[in-house]
């Protein structure tokens, strides 16, 4: 495949459409999600191979707990399976895993698997793989505001010390570049509370393909489309 430049430093993906894919194929939703995991494995590998710096995937939002208990259970099972079965390969590939979201609100087994994945890969220097689990963008901002308020109340900082940098340092994505490219599959055109602060200048792409069908070719097309975007950050390019 020809090399696409410039590559986005940070790609974020909302992997939407597993349910519709299952319905279309007349199979159970859980199998739709399972096929979705296959798609995400391929995208992680490719991102690592082509040198994407950071990849953020929306796996489970704070709102997803409202789904049918059997679907939540299936997703929890897939998460546990993923973090148990993929960890060796990801570690070998020098991938550094970070969980975005509230791990403490997760069931115990999953919580331990997430902590283990982060611990085991924390010194890896390759792809920064961020998986958003029990994540909400507004909750992330509230958490950051509370932390800064606590520091101010303790006299450690003054209100005027709070800058975009100190605020972003309180986010789960601390130290990562802003999102350059956000892809949401299935044709839905919403951010759904994902990386609200980090997407301030992101380019958005909404391919209509359902997530389990999202192929490496689709990914390369998205990267190609990104490479042709004219990014102005509020300024003017002559
Ligand atoms: C959206 O499809 C997808 C999700 C809510 C979950 C995404 C999760 C995975 C791909 C698997 C688990 C992740 C890991 C890291 C193992 P939807 O069900 O909302 O689709 P629909 O809109 O067609 O119903």
């Amino acid at each position: 495949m020809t090399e696409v430049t410039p590559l986005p430093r940070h790609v974020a993906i909302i992997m939407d459409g597993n349910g519709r894919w299952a319905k279309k194929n007349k199979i159970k939703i859980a199998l739709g999600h399972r096929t979705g995991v296959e798609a995400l494995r391929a995208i992680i590998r490719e991102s690592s191979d082509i040198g994407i710096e950071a990849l953020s995937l929306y796996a489970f939002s704070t709102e997803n707990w409202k789904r049918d208990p059997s679907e939540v259970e299936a997703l929890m099972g897939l998460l546990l399976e993923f973090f148990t079965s993929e960890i060796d390969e990801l570690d070998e590939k020098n991938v550094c895993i970070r969980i975005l979201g509230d791990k403490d609100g997760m069931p115990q087994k999953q919580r331990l698997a997430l902590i283990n994945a982060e611990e085991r890969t924390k010194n890896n220097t390759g792809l920064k793989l961020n998986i958003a689990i029990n994540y909400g963008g507004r909750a992330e901002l509230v958490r950051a505001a509370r932390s800064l308020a606590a520091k101010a109340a303790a006299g450690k900082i003054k209100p005027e010390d709070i800058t975009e940098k100190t605020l972003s340092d309180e986010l789960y994505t601390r130290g990562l570049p802003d999102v350059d490219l956000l892809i949401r599959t299935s044709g839905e055109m919403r951010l759904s509370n994902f990386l609200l602060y980090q997407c301030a200048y992101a380019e958005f792409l909404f391919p209509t393909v359902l997530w389990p069908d999202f192929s490496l070719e689709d990914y390369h097309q998205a990267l190609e489309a990104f490479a042709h975007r004219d990014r102005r950050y509020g300024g003017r390019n002559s």
Side-chain angles (χ1 to χ4, degrees):
M1 240 171 250
T2 49
E3 204 172 296
V4 185
T5 51
L7 271 182
R9 289 181 68 192
H10 188 169
V11 178
I13 307 185
I14 303 179
M15 309 177 286
D16 199 5
N18 295 346
R20 274 161 287 167
W21 188 88
K23 205 167 173 192
K24 196 175 97 181
N25 289 286
K26 299 187 174 54
I27 55 172
K28 292 207 169 111
I29 284 191
L31 200 48
H33 289 310
R34 181 172 285 282
T35 315
V37 177
E38 290 309 311
L40 91 90
R41 288 175 69 215
I43 296 301
I44 293 171
R45 246 187 258 128
E46 184 69 0
S47 302
S48 163
D49 291 349
I50 64 177
I52 297 285
E53 185 177 330
L55 174 67
S56 296
L57 301 168
Y58 207 2
F60 194 88
S61 75
T62 44
E63 287 71 38
N64 286 151
W65 296 110
K66 289 187 254 173
R67 293 194 177 193
D68 191 90
S70 65
E71 185 178 353
V72 171
E73 198 182 319
L75 282 166
M76 290 299 132
L78 282 172
L79 281 172
L80 189 60
E81 198 177 311
F82 178 84
F83 282 97
T84 323
S85 66
E86 298 298 311
I87 188 72
D88 287 343
E89 186 187 332
L90 292 172
D91 194 20
E92 249 162 54
K93 274 192 162 298
N94 200 20
V95 171
C96 176
I97 298 173
R98 190 189 301 196
I99 305 303
L100 315 179
D102 179 16
K103 293 191 286 280
D104 291 341
M106 292 293 287
Q108 178 72 345
K109 270 194 207 160
Q110 281 76 2
R111 196 177 71 85
L112 292 177
L114 301 180
I115 293 170
N116 174 57
E118 285 187 318
E119 263 306 300
R120 182 159 159 198
T121 64
K122 68 178 179 202
N123 295 321
N124 288 351
T125 54
L127 173 71
K128 296 178 173 83
L129 175 63
N130 312 302
I131 308 199
I133 298 174
N134 199 18
Y135 173 87
R138 287 184 174 180
E140 178 183 37
L141 288 166
V142 168
R143 181 176 171 268
R146 281 190 184 149
S147 171
L148 289 170
K151 285 179 187 168
K156 291 185 190 149
I157 57 167
K158 296 196 281 297
E160 56 270 30
D161 294 333
I162 298 174
T163 61
E164 291 185 10
K165 167 86 173 70
T166 58
L167 176 56
S168 65
D169 279 349
E170 298 290 340
L171 302 177
Y172 294 117
T173 47
R174 180 198 164 107
L176 296 174
D178 276 352
V179 174
D180 295 303
L181 171 63
L182 178 118
I183 302 170
R184 180 174 189 149
T185 56
S186 89
E188 302 291 346
M189 298 184 198
R190 290 186 295 277
L191 201 44
S192 296
N193 208 11
F194 191 41
L195 300 176
L196 298 178
Y197 187 87
Q198 300 86 339
C199 280
Y201 284 102
E203 296 293 328
F204 289 76
L205 281 173
F206 300 106
T208 51
V209 58
L210 302 175
W211 176 252
D213 286 332
F214 190 75
S215 63
L216 291 187
E217 200 183 329
D218 293 319
Y219 192 31
H220 278 269
Q221 265 175 25
L223 296 175
E224 183 77 43
F226 171 82
H228 290 98
R229 291 279 174 100
D230 178 20
R231 304 187 79 197
R232 292 192 292 275
Y233 300 95
R236 260 186 232 293
N237 293 344
S238 48

